[in-house]
Amino acid sequence: MKEGRRWLEIAGVHLVLLVASAAVLYPVLWVVRLAVSPTGRLTEAGALPIPKEFSLQNLSDFIFARDFYGRPIFFIQLGNSLLVSGAATIVGLLFALSAAYGFSRFAFPLRRAGMRTMLVSQMFPAVVTAVPLLFLLDALGLFGTTAGLVLIYATTSVPFSIWMLKGYFDVIPKDLDESARLDGASAWIVFTRILLPLVRPGIGLTALFSFMSAYNEFIMASVFLDDVTAYTLPVTLQQSVGGFDPNWGLFAAGSLVLSIPVVLVFFFVQKQMVEGMTAGAVKG
Amino acid sequence: MSVALHFEHVGKRYGETIVLSDVDFRTEPGELVVLVGPSGCGKSTLMRLVAGLETLSEGTIRAGDRVLNDVPPQDRGVGMVFQSYALYPHLTVRENLAFPLFVKKVSPETRAREVERVAEMLSLGPLLDRLPKQLSGGQRQRVAIGRCLVRKPDIYCFDEPLSNLDAALRSQIRVELKALQRELGKTTIYVTHDQVEAMTMADRIVVLHRGVVQQVGSPEELYLRPHNRFVARFIGTPAMNLVAGGLREGRFEGGPIRAAVSVGTSVERVLLGARPEHVRVHPEGKVEARVRGIEPVGEAGYLHLAVEGISLDTGAATSGSTPKPGLLCASVAGRDAFGYREGETVRFDLVDERLVIFDAVSGDRIG
């Protein structure tokens, strides 16, 4: 009797997991199907994401595309995307780390209000800030430049990053700071030698978030960039389905290519995250 | 060099909350001073004031001739062992021990030499390349002490250093710590809520309650001549018996209990304090009681006695392990404890010369 119920339980759990996995994977498989079918038409499809014909034409078209002047436009844009996201991540993290340390460890007026304000700033959709940002960047002479886009991505990721990192700083016992202070360490030594190594998992996770949101960002990039060679990949991707005869196959191939760096980054950061988490607690 | 610590009218407030008020005492150089009291009594705060991790609201703390009030923590010559040990989890034992020297920019050779010296002193040699998570509680604590020793401070602070260890290890480390302190000969402040720990380790005990110093004295003074009802109940396990009664020209009367005491005046409401070992159970005793509980604990045993017509003050602040309200606790020789039966009637006397008298209203000792 008991044995039977156990089996039923296992079967039930697996059924739920299978349905959930299918729901998540179905659209992804559809994209794969579109990417490898030569016509790239949505109308030919059945319910199952299985291609009738198989071809890598879309993938190679997307990757080896050349512009009017014969430049390898995909590689230029991939470079843009990686540069912008990477730079935005690093700049954003540098600000967020020091700010999170301050918010977590020092008492100062308006500390709570500051944290709340940053949370509120996350509640506005990106479009709302697009126009003022456009004027700001124009005034700074950064309109249409990679540096301008880095600045935007870095600043928009900072509030969320501070919130996340502050959580990681908060769980590190204050005893460690105090002990280091008694040992003669300055705030800078405490920050760099004691706390930073301990928030490494948090840094990994925050970096991943920052990188992904910059890498996937489309609206700002499409508003600010006006030169094809400065485009990031999401902008190109959108343009590949423009016009009267959208080539969904090309779009799907582009989507797949676009997700590879993110998957790679996730893979490496995740490994580091797990390492960091097992680094050991203070006691117990 | 060992220094004396002077606390002069020290006070600490957080906004409206008074954590410490008018703390005023001094220690001798090289003493082990235990700050003891129930949780929230301000003992840890007082230690943190010495270490410089908190700032004083009032008063002065002096180490020898030096006023510590505005000296930054790292320049006070104070080393502290935290309750959590506060080992840096990402550094090996060696790196943990060397950290204070690394911060002071001591040369790598000197650093290595000092670490070796301390490691040998605390038998940490084989553990030097391990991470804190690979150590047992006792080992972690030795590392924490070692990191303190490396700095060669003039004053050591221990914040409940034994509270995370199991009972067997605790008594062992208690002995080791005391021996180490003797060897170093440095003034040491030791915070605990455990009065047994305080009694066994201290040269001088400071009992704190609600931010106020109740008594400063040797373990013996606190045990035999407590200043007030709080100290009487807090120090000693089981706690002191406090019998309510009246005082008439040098005689105490509380129900059937009569005793001659050294106070000549008459006070209407007093408490008579008698340690369990000063309640002598014997067949010719003047007072009759019924045995309600027996605790043979080895070399001594305790009888919990119900006495008709007496009222006992059990006060909230007791640290004793056997709070049995309304029962008088008497100590008997260990073997004898097995001879008693619950419910049987016994007779006892109080040892007059050891009794203390407290004013029932103020709680202060009057004789």
mmCIF file of all heavy atoms in Angstrom, chain A residues 136-177:
data_model
loop_
_atom_site.group_PDB
_atom_site.id
_atom_site.type_symbol
_atom_site.label_atom_id
_atom_site.label_comp_id
_atom_site.label_asym_id
_atom_site.label_seq_id
_atom_site.Cartn_x
_atom_site.Cartn_y
_atom_site.Cartn_z
ATOM 1 N N LEU A 136 20.851 64.151 -22.832
ATOM 2 C CA LEU A 136 22.054 64.144 -21.986
ATOM 3 C C LEU A 136 23.278 63.695 -22.771
ATOM 4 O O LEU A 136 24.322 64.346 -22.749
ATOM 5 C CB LEU A 136 21.844 63.184 -20.807
ATOM 6 C CG LEU A 136 21.286 63.777 -19.525
ATOM 7 C CD1 LEU A 136 21.040 62.673 -18.506
ATOM 8 C CD2 LEU A 136 22.257 64.814 -18.959
ATOM 9 N N LEU A 137 23.113 62.585 -23.453
ATOM 10 C CA LEU A 137 24.248 62.047 -24.204
ATOM 11 C C LEU A 137 24.672 62.994 -25.311
ATOM 12 O O LEU A 137 25.862 63.165 -25.589
ATOM 13 C CB LEU A 137 23.894 60.681 -24.794
ATOM 14 C CG LEU A 137 23.904 59.514 -23.822
ATOM 15 C CD1 LEU A 137 23.859 58.202 -24.589
ATOM 16 C CD2 LEU A 137 25.121 59.534 -22.920
ATOM 17 N N ASP A 138 23.678 63.627 -25.920
ATOM 18 C CA ASP A 138 23.976 64.582 -26.984
ATOM 19 C C ASP A 138 24.826 65.718 -26.426
ATOM 20 O O ASP A 138 25.821 66.123 -27.016
ATOM 21 C CB ASP A 138 22.667 65.104 -27.575
ATOM 22 C CG ASP A 138 22.915 65.704 -28.955
ATOM 23 O OD1 ASP A 138 23.834 65.214 -29.644
ATOM 24 O OD2 ASP A 138 22.201 66.661 -29.317
ATOM 25 N N ALA A 139 24.413 66.201 -25.232
ATOM 26 C CA ALA A 139 25.149 67.302 -24.607
ATOM 27 C C ALA A 139 26.580 66.883 -24.276
ATOM 28 O O ALA A 139 27.509 67.686 -24.305
ATOM 29 C CB ALA A 139 24.423 67.745 -23.333
ATOM 30 N N LEU A 140 26.729 65.600 -23.922
ATOM 31 C CA LEU A 140 28.066 65.102 -23.574
ATOM 32 C C LEU A 140 28.884 64.739 -24.813
ATOM 33 O O LEU A 140 30.043 64.357 -24.711
ATOM 34 C CB LEU A 140 27.943 63.859 -22.682
ATOM 35 C CG LEU A 140 27.407 64.087 -21.262
ATOM 36 C CD1 LEU A 140 27.107 62.753 -20.593
ATOM 37 C CD2 LEU A 140 28.412 64.880 -20.441
ATOM 38 N N GLY A 141 28.234 64.822 -25.964
ATOM 39 C CA GLY A 141 28.930 64.462 -27.206
ATOM 40 C C GLY A 141 29.115 62.971 -27.358
ATOM 41 O O GLY A 141 30.025 62.511 -28.045
ATOM 42 N N LEU A 142 28.256 62.201 -26.682
ATOM 43 C CA LEU A 142 28.417 60.744 -26.737
ATOM 44 C C LEU A 142 27.322 60.067 -27.551
ATOM 45 O O LEU A 142 27.235 58.842 -27.574
ATOM 46 C CB LEU A 142 28.414 60.178 -25.311
ATOM 47 C CG LEU A 142 29.630 60.527 -24.458
ATOM 48 C CD1 LEU A 142 29.443 60.044 -23.032
ATOM 49 C CD2 LEU A 142 30.894 59.924 -25.049
ATOM 50 N N PHE A 143 26.470 60.847 -28.202
ATOM 51 C CA PHE A 143 25.345 60.254 -28.923
ATOM 52 C C PHE A 143 25.850 59.356 -30.056
ATOM 53 O O PHE A 143 26.734 59.733 -30.813
ATOM 54 C CB PHE A 143 24.440 61.346 -29.497
ATOM 55 C CG PHE A 143 23.200 60.783 -30.101
ATOM 56 C CD1 PHE A 143 22.138 60.391 -29.307
ATOM 57 C CD2 PHE A 143 23.118 60.618 -31.484
ATOM 58 C CE1 PHE A 143 20.996 59.849 -29.869
ATOM 59 C CE2 PHE A 143 21.976 60.063 -32.047
ATOM 60 C CZ PHE A 143 20.910 59.682 -31.242
ATOM 61 N N GLY A 144 25.274 58.163 -30.111
ATOM 62 C CA GLY A 144 25.632 57.246 -31.187
ATOM 63 C C GLY A 144 26.948 56.525 -30.969
ATOM 64 O O GLY A 144 27.380 55.739 -31.813
ATOM 65 N N THR A 145 27.604 56.771 -29.850
ATOM 66 C CA THR A 145 28.900 56.107 -29.621
ATOM 67 C C THR A 145 28.746 54.897 -28.705
ATOM 68 O O THR A 145 27.778 54.803 -27.941
ATOM 69 C CB THR A 145 29.905 57.057 -28.947
ATOM 70 O OG1 THR A 145 29.385 57.413 -27.659
ATOM 71 C CG2 THR A 145 30.125 58.312 -29.778
ATOM 72 N N THR A 146 29.700 54.007 -28.786
ATOM 73 C CA THR A 146 29.717 52.840 -27.906
ATOM 74 C C THR A 146 29.845 53.277 -26.454
ATOM 75 O O THR A 146 29.166 52.750 -25.569
ATOM 76 C CB THR A 146 30.914 51.943 -28.270
ATOM 77 O OG1 THR A 146 30.866 51.708 -29.678
ATOM 78 C CG2 THR A 146 30.862 50.641 -27.542
ATOM 79 N N ALA A 147 30.701 54.280 -26.216
ATOM 80 C CA ALA A 147 30.908 54.766 -24.844
ATOM 81 C C ALA A 147 29.593 55.251 -24.244
ATOM 82 O O ALA A 147 29.292 54.994 -23.069
ATOM 83 C CB ALA A 147 31.934 55.878 -24.834
ATOM 84 N N GLY A 148 28.783 55.924 -25.056
ATOM 85 C CA GLY A 148 27.497 56.415 -24.583
ATOM 86 C C GLY A 148 26.598 55.280 -24.142
ATOM 87 O O GLY A 148 25.968 55.332 -23.078
ATOM 88 N N LEU A 149 26.567 54.235 -24.965
ATOM 89 C CA LEU A 149 25.718 53.090 -24.648
ATOM 90 C C LEU A 149 26.214 52.386 -23.382
ATOM 91 O O LEU A 149 25.426 51.974 -22.519
ATOM 92 C CB LEU A 149 25.712 52.111 -25.834
ATOM 93 C CG LEU A 149 24.482 51.220 -25.922
ATOM 94 C CD1 LEU A 149 23.207 52.043 -26.028
ATOM 95 C CD2 LEU A 149 24.596 50.275 -27.102
ATOM 96 N N VAL A 150 27.544 52.275 -23.248
ATOM 97 C CA VAL A 150 28.133 51.672 -22.044
ATOM 98 C C VAL A 150 27.679 52.455 -20.813
ATOM 99 O O VAL A 150 27.270 51.884 -19.802
ATOM 100 C CB VAL A 150 29.676 51.664 -22.125
ATOM 101 C CG1 VAL A 150 30.291 51.332 -20.770
ATOM 102 C CG2 VAL A 150 30.137 50.680 -23.177
ATOM 103 N N LEU A 151 27.727 53.777 -20.940
ATOM 104 C CA LEU A 151 27.343 54.632 -19.814
ATOM 105 C C LEU A 151 25.891 54.364 -19.409
ATOM 106 O O LEU A 151 25.570 54.215 -18.232
ATOM 107 C CB LEU A 151 27.541 56.095 -20.220
ATOM 108 C CG LEU A 151 27.590 57.088 -19.078
ATOM 109 C CD1 LEU A 151 28.759 56.795 -18.160
ATOM 110 C CD2 LEU A 151 27.695 58.512 -19.636
ATOM 111 N N ILE A 152 25.023 54.283 -20.416
ATOM 112 C CA ILE A 152 23.607 54.046 -20.123
ATOM 113 C C ILE A 152 23.404 52.689 -19.455
ATOM 114 O O ILE A 152 22.759 52.580 -18.407
ATOM 115 C CB ILE A 152 22.776 54.099 -21.418
ATOM 116 C CG1 ILE A 152 22.747 55.523 -21.943
ATOM 117 C CG2 ILE A 152 21.350 53.607 -21.159
ATOM 118 C CD1 ILE A 152 22.056 55.640 -23.271
ATOM 119 N N TYR A 153 23.986 51.664 -20.038
ATOM 120 C CA TYR A 153 23.797 50.318 -19.469
ATOM 121 C C TYR A 153 24.383 50.217 -18.066
ATOM 122 O O TYR A 153 23.784 49.619 -17.174
ATOM 123 C CB TYR A 153 24.457 49.261 -20.369
ATOM 124 C CG TYR A 153 23.746 49.048 -21.678
ATOM 125 C CD1 TYR A 153 24.380 48.412 -22.741
ATOM 126 C CD2 TYR A 153 22.435 49.478 -21.848
ATOM 127 C CE1 TYR A 153 23.728 48.208 -23.945
ATOM 128 C CE2 TYR A 153 21.784 49.296 -23.042
ATOM 129 C CZ TYR A 153 22.431 48.656 -24.099
ATOM 130 O OH TYR A 153 21.782 48.463 -25.276
ATOM 131 N N ALA A 154 25.569 50.793 -17.877
ATOM 132 C CA ALA A 154 26.209 50.723 -16.567
ATOM 133 C C ALA A 154 25.341 51.401 -15.519
ATOM 134 O O ALA A 154 25.082 50.843 -14.452
ATOM 135 C CB ALA A 154 27.591 51.358 -16.614
ATOM 136 N N THR A 155 24.855 52.612 -15.834
ATOM 137 C CA THR A 155 24.070 53.343 -14.824
ATOM 138 C C THR A 155 22.728 52.678 -14.565
ATOM 139 O O THR A 155 22.280 52.632 -13.438
ATOM 140 C CB THR A 155 23.837 54.803 -15.228
ATOM 141 O OG1 THR A 155 23.403 54.819 -16.583
ATOM 142 C CG2 THR A 155 25.094 55.622 -15.089
ATOM 143 N N THR A 156 22.106 52.132 -15.610
ATOM 144 C CA THR A 156 20.806 51.511 -15.350
ATOM 145 C C THR A 156 20.954 50.214 -14.560
ATOM 146 O O THR A 156 20.030 49.817 -13.855
ATOM 147 C CB THR A 156 20.032 51.219 -16.655
ATOM 148 O OG1 THR A 156 20.932 50.608 -17.581
ATOM 149 C CG2 THR A 156 19.448 52.476 -17.250
ATOM 150 N N SER A 157 22.109 49.568 -14.654
ATOM 151 C CA SER A 157 22.250 48.312 -13.904
ATOM 152 C C SER A 157 22.695 48.556 -12.468
ATOM 153 O O SER A 157 22.558 47.679 -11.615
ATOM 154 C CB SER A 157 23.246 47.382 -14.601
ATOM 155 O OG SER A 157 24.563 47.842 -14.383
ATOM 156 N N VAL A 158 23.240 49.739 -12.181
ATOM 157 C CA VAL A 158 23.806 49.991 -10.854
ATOM 158 C C VAL A 158 22.799 49.816 -9.703
ATOM 159 O O VAL A 158 23.099 49.100 -8.755
ATOM 160 C CB VAL A 158 24.508 51.370 -10.793
ATOM 161 C CG1 VAL A 158 24.665 51.849 -9.360
ATOM 162 C CG2 VAL A 158 25.857 51.287 -11.463
ATOM 163 N N PRO A 159 21.594 50.414 -9.777
ATOM 164 C CA PRO A 159 20.696 50.277 -8.620
ATOM 165 C C PRO A 159 20.392 48.827 -8.275
ATOM 166 O O PRO A 159 20.521 48.413 -7.119
ATOM 167 C CB PRO A 159 19.424 50.995 -9.076
ATOM 168 C CG PRO A 159 19.870 51.926 -10.134
ATOM 169 C CD PRO A 159 21.012 51.267 -10.822
ATOM 170 N N PHE A 160 20.033 48.051 -9.289
ATOM 171 C CA PHE A 160 19.714 46.649 -9.013
ATOM 172 C C PHE A 160 20.947 45.914 -8.466
ATOM 173 O O PHE A 160 20.842 45.126 -7.525
ATOM 174 C CB PHE A 160 19.215 45.969 -10.289
ATOM 175 C CG PHE A 160 18.763 44.554 -10.068
ATOM 176 C CD1 PHE A 160 17.489 44.287 -9.579
ATOM 177 C CD2 PHE A 160 19.604 43.492 -10.323
ATOM 178 C CE1 PHE A 160 17.078 42.991 -9.348
ATOM 179 C CE2 PHE A 160 19.207 42.185 -10.097
ATOM 180 C CZ PHE A 160 17.941 41.932 -9.614
ATOM 181 N N SER A 161 22.100 46.215 -9.053
ATOM 182 C CA SER A 161 23.335 45.560 -8.599
ATOM 183 C C SER A 161 23.627 45.899 -7.147
ATOM 184 O O SER A 161 24.068 45.048 -6.374
ATOM 185 C CB SER A 161 24.518 45.987 -9.457
ATOM 186 O OG SER A 161 24.283 45.678 -10.800
ATOM 187 N N ILE A 162 23.399 47.165 -6.780
ATOM 188 C CA ILE A 162 23.643 47.551 -5.382
ATOM 189 C C ILE A 162 22.746 46.748 -4.451
ATOM 190 O O ILE A 162 23.195 46.210 -3.442
ATOM 191 C CB ILE A 162 23.407 49.070 -5.189
ATOM 192 C CG1 ILE A 162 24.492 49.859 -5.920
ATOM 193 C CG2 ILE A 162 23.406 49.430 -3.705
ATOM 194 C CD1 ILE A 162 24.294 51.357 -5.869
ATOM 195 N N TRP A 163 21.481 46.654 -4.837
ATOM 196 C CA TRP A 163 20.549 45.882 -4.003
ATOM 197 C C TRP A 163 21.013 44.450 -3.833
ATOM 198 O O TRP A 163 21.007 43.894 -2.741
ATOM 199 C CB TRP A 163 19.141 45.891 -4.616
ATOM 200 C CG TRP A 163 18.312 46.974 -4.026
ATOM 201 C CD1 TRP A 163 18.171 48.241 -4.497
ATOM 202 C CD2 TRP A 163 17.523 46.903 -2.836
ATOM 203 N NE1 TRP A 163 17.346 48.966 -3.680
ATOM 204 C CE2 TRP A 163 16.933 48.171 -2.659
ATOM 205 C CE3 TRP A 163 17.252 45.897 -1.905
ATOM 206 C CZ2 TRP A 163 16.092 48.464 -1.587
ATOM 207 C CZ3 TRP A 163 16.414 46.186 -0.840
ATOM 208 C CH2 TRP A 163 15.850 47.466 -0.691
ATOM 209 N N MET A 164 21.414 43.861 -4.930
ATOM 210 C CA MET A 164 21.839 42.471 -4.863
ATOM 211 C C MET A 164 23.116 42.319 -4.030
ATOM 212 O O MET A 164 23.187 41.466 -3.147
ATOM 213 C CB MET A 164 22.094 41.968 -6.272
ATOM 214 C CG MET A 164 21.145 40.868 -6.632
ATOM 215 S SD MET A 164 21.244 40.505 -8.362
ATOM 216 C CE MET A 164 22.245 39.070 -8.304
ATOM 217 N N LEU A 165 24.099 43.148 -4.322
ATOM 218 C CA LEU A 165 25.386 43.016 -3.631
ATOM 219 C C LEU A 165 25.272 43.357 -2.158
ATOM 220 O O LEU A 165 25.920 42.742 -1.317
ATOM 221 C CB LEU A 165 26.431 43.913 -4.303
ATOM 222 C CG LEU A 165 26.889 43.404 -5.666
ATOM 223 C CD1 LEU A 165 27.704 44.466 -6.385
ATOM 224 C CD2 LEU A 165 27.703 42.127 -5.517
ATOM 225 N N LYS A 166 24.415 44.336 -1.851
ATOM 226 C CA LYS A 166 24.251 44.697 -0.450
ATOM 227 C C LYS A 166 23.785 43.474 0.347
ATOM 228 O O LYS A 166 24.250 43.234 1.455
ATOM 229 C CB LYS A 166 23.240 45.834 -0.294
ATOM 230 C CG LYS A 166 23.069 46.260 1.158
ATOM 231 C CD LYS A 166 22.073 47.387 1.299
ATOM 232 C CE LYS A 166 21.793 47.685 2.761
ATOM 233 N NZ LYS A 166 20.945 46.665 3.410
ATOM 234 N N GLY A 167 22.895 42.691 -0.253
ATOM 235 C CA GLY A 167 22.437 41.463 0.396
ATOM 236 C C GLY A 167 23.597 40.534 0.721
ATOM 237 O O GLY A 167 23.655 39.948 1.796
ATOM 238 N N TYR A 168 24.529 40.434 -0.205
ATOM 239 C CA TYR A 168 25.686 39.565 0.023
ATOM 240 C C TYR A 168 26.600 40.129 1.109
ATOM 241 O O TYR A 168 27.133 39.397 1.926
ATOM 242 C CB TYR A 168 26.477 39.362 -1.273
ATOM 243 C CG TYR A 168 25.855 38.326 -2.178
ATOM 244 C CD1 TYR A 168 24.864 38.663 -3.072
ATOM 245 C CD2 TYR A 168 26.254 37.001 -2.096
ATOM 246 C CE1 TYR A 168 24.283 37.711 -3.895
ATOM 247 C CE2 TYR A 168 25.695 36.034 -2.906
ATOM 248 C CZ TYR A 168 24.701 36.396 -3.804
ATOM 249 O OH TYR A 168 24.135 35.450 -4.592
ATOM 250 N N PHE A 169 26.794 41.450 1.101
ATOM 251 C CA PHE A 169 27.614 42.072 2.148
ATOM 252 C C PHE A 169 26.955 41.906 3.515
ATOM 253 O O PHE A 169 27.622 41.668 4.504
ATOM 254 C CB PHE A 169 27.817 43.565 1.867
ATOM 255 C CG PHE A 169 28.915 43.847 0.877
ATOM 256 C CD1 PHE A 169 28.629 44.399 -0.360
ATOM 257 C CD2 PHE A 169 30.236 43.576 1.186
ATOM 258 C CE1 PHE A 169 29.643 44.664 -1.269
ATOM 259 C CE2 PHE A 169 31.249 43.835 0.281
ATOM 260 C CZ PHE A 169 30.951 44.379 -0.950
ATOM 261 N N ASP A 170 25.613 42.040 3.520
ATOM 262 C CA ASP A 170 24.897 42.006 4.798
ATOM 263 C C ASP A 170 25.072 40.685 5.537
ATOM 264 O O ASP A 170 25.061 40.666 6.760
ATOM 265 C CB ASP A 170 23.395 42.270 4.578
ATOM 266 C CG ASP A 170 23.113 43.741 4.342
ATOM 267 O OD1 ASP A 170 24.029 44.559 4.562
ATOM 268 O OD2 ASP A 170 21.983 44.083 3.927
ATOM 269 N N VAL A 171 25.192 39.587 4.795
ATOM 270 C CA VAL A 171 25.268 38.304 5.499
ATOM 271 C C VAL A 171 26.680 38.001 6.008
ATOM 272 O O VAL A 171 26.876 37.048 6.746
ATOM 273 C CB VAL A 171 24.774 37.117 4.645
ATOM 274 C CG1 VAL A 171 23.311 37.261 4.334
ATOM 275 C CG2 VAL A 171 25.594 36.979 3.376
ATOM 276 N N ILE A 172 27.655 38.799 5.624
ATOM 277 C CA ILE A 172 28.994 38.599 6.179
ATOM 278 C C ILE A 172 29.016 39.217 7.569
ATOM 279 O O ILE A 172 28.709 40.397 7.730
ATOM 280 C CB ILE A 172 30.068 39.268 5.304
ATOM 281 C CG1 ILE A 172 30.060 38.628 3.923
ATOM 282 C CG2 ILE A 172 31.448 39.136 5.945
ATOM 283 C CD1 ILE A 172 30.983 39.305 2.951
ATOM 284 N N PRO A 173 29.342 38.409 8.597
ATOM 285 C CA PRO A 173 29.278 38.923 9.956
ATOM 286 C C PRO A 173 30.154 40.163 10.144
ATOM 287 O O PRO A 173 31.278 40.203 9.644
ATOM 288 C CB PRO A 173 29.810 37.776 10.808
ATOM 289 C CG PRO A 173 29.774 36.574 9.942
ATOM 290 C CD PRO A 173 29.818 37.028 8.534
ATOM 291 N N LYS A 174 29.617 41.121 10.885
ATOM 292 C CA LYS A 174 30.370 42.356 11.152
ATOM 293 C C LYS A 174 31.621 42.076 11.982
ATOM 294 O O LYS A 174 32.558 42.865 11.969
ATOM 295 C CB LYS A 174 29.473 43.342 11.910
ATOM 296 C CG LYS A 174 28.443 43.983 11.014
ATOM 297 C CD LYS A 174 28.423 45.501 11.213
ATOM 298 C CE LYS A 174 27.594 46.198 10.154
ATOM 299 N NZ LYS A 174 26.161 45.924 10.282
ATOM 300 N N ASP A 175 31.602 40.939 12.700
ATOM 301 C CA ASP A 175 32.775 40.557 13.489
ATOM 302 C C ASP A 175 34.038 40.566 12.636
ATOM 303 O O ASP A 175 35.110 40.913 13.117
ATOM 304 C CB ASP A 175 32.599 39.140 14.048
ATOM 305 C CG ASP A 175 31.660 39.111 15.241
ATOM 306 O OD1 ASP A 175 31.128 40.181 15.574
ATOM 307 O OD2 ASP A 175 31.466 38.030 15.811
ATOM 308 N N LEU A 176 33.905 40.158 11.375
ATOM 309 C CA LEU A 176 35.079 40.086 10.512
ATOM 310 C C LEU A 176 35.661 41.475 10.283
ATOM 311 O O LEU A 176 36.868 41.675 10.363
ATOM 312 C CB LEU A 176 34.734 39.436 9.178
ATOM 313 C CG LEU A 176 34.380 37.949 9.226
ATOM 314 C CD1 LEU A 176 34.188 37.413 7.823
ATOM 315 C CD2 LEU A 176 35.449 37.167 9.938
ATOM 316 N N ASP A 177 34.795 42.447 9.999
ATOM 317 C CA ASP A 177 35.270 43.819 9.804
ATOM 318 C C ASP A 177 35.939 44.327 11.071
ATOM 319 O O ASP A 177 37.002 44.936 11.043
ATOM 320 C CB ASP A 177 34.126 44.805 9.538
ATOM 321 C CG ASP A 177 33.205 44.382 8.431
ATOM 322 O OD1 ASP A 177 32.936 43.182 8.325
ATOM 323 O OD2 ASP A 177 32.760 45.253 7.681
#
